[in-house]
């Protein structure tokens, strides 16, 4: 099993905690790519995309994929528009190395600006000496609706010719505006928003991500004896200053109260925090079987399952005898 310090994800918002002030435990790790078909791909030649929005999508995809870093190194090598540079015909990979693939695609857009009824607005046109409105006027403004549609299609093709990854979608945005609005919506901005949204989807489909986040513990002490309840309360307070100490207390309390939902969840979160992922699973499942904390437990199981999948993906990408693994 290979572990990594983390991914730098340019342009993406991550839940990275600063000073911990709430009743939380900090967990961090590498989470799986949503699809595993391209997990061994290291070099991607992005061909010229077809369609009237194809160039914008190709650039957005190249930027997103190139921004992924693993231990400070690029996760992908991106060769944008270089499919012919190496003497290959269009449709063939741009490199002979194992793990090379070609990304092809097309993207089209449609813009409709249509009438969309009217809007009434009442305003005061005369007030008396006490500033009370004594005469109103109803004004009617014509309105329109700007609707933008984006249809992307992407394929990642292996050097041998098989399809490693495919993504198709139809995205839409619409905004109503009227004659009294100070500005009109921008079709270009709406289209770019959808291009970026799809590019982010592809990025998460193809590559793992590193996350560091604060996860709230469960704080219910219901069902605990007085002494254990006091110890539980102390452990909750410790999460703000001494997370390992808090975990030690949660785990000790769980031994004496094995069926307590808050303790099983918090102990599972401690195991997750300490990268004991296999230990966390039965603790979250125990919480899930109870009457409280099911949403907490489901989220915990999702995180742990994704991290275990990421380990398997990275073991495939960097087998023990690979040059990358040997250098670590």
């Amino acid at each position: 099993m290979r572990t990594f310090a983390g991914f730098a994800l340019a342009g993406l918002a991550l839940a990275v905690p600063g000073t911990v002030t709430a009743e939380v435990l900090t967990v961090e790790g590498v989470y799986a790519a949503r699809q595993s078909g391209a997990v061994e791909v290291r070099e991607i030649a992005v061909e010229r995309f077809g369609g009237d929005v194809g160039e914008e999508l190709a650039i957005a995809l190249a930027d997103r994929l190139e921004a992924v870093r693993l231990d400070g190194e690029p996760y992908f090598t991106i060769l944008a528009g270089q499919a012919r540079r190496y003497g290959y015909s269009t449709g063939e990979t741009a490199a002979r190395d194992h793990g090379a693939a070609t990304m092809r695609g097309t993207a089209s857009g449609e813009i409709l600006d249509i009438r969309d009824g009217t809007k009434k607005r009442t305003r005061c046109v005369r007030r008396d000496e006490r500033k009370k409105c004594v005469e109103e006027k109803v004004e009617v403004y014509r309105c329109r609706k700007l609707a933008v549609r984006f249809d992307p299609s992407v394929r990642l093709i292996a050097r041998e010719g098989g399809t490693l990854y495919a993504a198709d979608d139809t995205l839409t945005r619409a905004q109503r505006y009227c004659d009294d609005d100070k500005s009109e919506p921008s079709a270009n901005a709406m289209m770019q928003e959808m291009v970026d949204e799809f590019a982010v989807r592809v990025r998460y489909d193809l590559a793992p991500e590193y996350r560091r986040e604060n996860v709230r513990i469960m704080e219910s002490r219901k069902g605990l004896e007085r002494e254990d309840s006091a110890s539980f309360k102390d452990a909750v307070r410790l999460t703000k200053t001494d997370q390992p100490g808090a975990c030690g207390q949660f785990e000790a309390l769980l031994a004496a109260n094995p069926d307590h939902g808050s303790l099983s969840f918090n102990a599972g979160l401690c195991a997750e925090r300490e990268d004991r992922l296999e230990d966390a699973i039965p603790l979250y499942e125990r919480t899930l079987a109870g009457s409280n904390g099911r949403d907490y437990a489901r989220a915990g199981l999702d995180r742990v399952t994704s991290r275990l999948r990421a380990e398997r993906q990275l073991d495939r990408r960097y087998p023990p005898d690979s040059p990358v693994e040997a250098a670590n």
Side-chain angles (χ1 to χ4, degrees):
M1 181 184 72
R2 180 178 171 82
T3 58
F4 299 95
F7 289 77
L9 303 174
L12 300 180
L14 297 178
V16 181
T19 302
V20 178
T21 57
E23 289 72 17
V24 299
L25 293 176
T26 305
V27 297
E28 59 184 312
V30 176
Y31 294 80
R34 292 190 293 223
Q35 298 194 28
S36 298
V39 70
E40 297 176 22
V41 173
R42 304 186 191 183
E43 182 175 279
I44 299 175
V46 181
E47 290 187 346
R48 185 181 297 277
F49 281 23
D52 54 341
V53 197
E55 182 177 357
E56 289 84 350
L57 178 58
I59 291 172
L61 286 168
D63 288 346
R64 287 291 181 178
L65 296 175
E66 196 169 34
V68 183
R69 295 290 186 273
L70 174 62
D71 279 355
E73 297 298 323
Y75 187 76
F76 295 117
T77 297
I78 303 299
L79 306 174
Q82 298 184 21
R84 294 179 179 273
R85 178 177 172 182
Y86 296 89
Y88 288 78
S89 61
T90 300
E92 294 180 312
T93 186
R96 293 184 174 89
D97 295 338
H98 176 70
T102 298
M103 180 169 283
R104 307 170 185 164
T106 183
S108 60
E110 182 181 13
I111 300 172
L112 295 176
D113 194 351
I114 59 177
R115 293 179 181 177
D116 193 33
T118 59
K119 178 178 73 173
K120 293 182 179 180
R121 181 180 177 184
T122 302
R123 67 183 181 91
C124 183
V125 295
R126 187 165 64 89
R127 298 179 183 275
D128 61 17
E129 64 278 2
R130 292 176 295 177
K131 305 297 183 181
K132 182 179 179 180
C133 185
V134 294
E135 184 180 349
E136 293 181 334
K137 181 180 180 181
V138 177
E139 297 176 331
V140 180
Y141 299 95
R142 294 172 300 178
C143 298
R144 301 186 69 81
K145 182 171 73 172
L146 180 65
V148 183
R149 172 172 168 157
F150 174 53
D151 293 292
S153 179
V154 169
R155 299 291 184 272
L156 188 65
I157 308 300
R159 179 166 61 94
E160 297 78 8
T163 299
L164 300 173
Y165 169 77
D168 302 275
D169 209 342
T170 295
L171 304 176
T172 59
R173 294 287 188 277
Q175 187 171 340
R176 188 174 191 250
Y177 64 101
C178 302
D179 288 345
D180 64 327
D181 291 336
K182 293 181 179 180
S183 62
E184 297 182 3
S186 166
N188 287 337
M190 295 165 71
M191 184 68 74
Q192 190 60 54
E193 179 182 322
M194 291 185 288
V195 169
D196 291 340
E197 178 182 325
F198 184 76
V200 169
R201 167 192 162 180
V202 173
R203 174 259 173 272
Y204 282 114
D205 284 349
L206 295 181
E209 66 158 326
Y210 168 80
R211 286 207 312 265
R212 175 181 168 89
E213 56 190 323
N214 290 330
V215 180
R216 293 194 68 89
I217 62 170
M218 288 179 60
E219 299 182 52
S220 173
R221 292 174 281 158
K222 185 177 180 180
L224 294 176
E225 297 294 335
R226 179 176 297 181
E227 185 177 345
D228 285 348
S229 179
S231 295
F232 185 98
K233 189 175 181 180
D234 288 340
V236 169
R237 281 197 293 263
L238 274 177
T239 60
K240 297 182 179 181
T241 57
D242 181 7
Q243 292 191 4
C247 283
Q249 288 192 215
F250 285 136
E251 290 166 350
L253 286 167
L254 179 65
N257 302 271
D259 298 321
H260 195 272
S262 293
L263 287 171
S264 59
F265 173 80
N266 293 348
L269 187 56
C270 288
E272 182 184 352
R273 176 186 176 277
E274 297 164 5
D275 297 330
R276 295 183 288 111
L277 304 181
E278 297 286 358
D279 293 340
I281 291 175
L283 292 167
Y284 285 146
E285 289 176 340
R286 194 187 308 180
T287 308
L288 196 59
S291 58
N292 296 317
R294 291 177 179 173
D295 290 344
Y296 284 73
R298 287 191 188 96
L301 284 171
D302 287 345
R303 288 192 305 272
V304 170
T305 300
S306 181
R307 288 179 63 183
L308 290 171
R309 285 182 55 229
E311 288 180 359
R312 294 192 293 271
Q313 289 176 352
L314 294 174
D315 283 344
R316 280 178 52 194
R317 186 179 180 88
Y318 304 107
D321 57 350
S322 72
V324 174
E325 178 67 27
N328 287 272

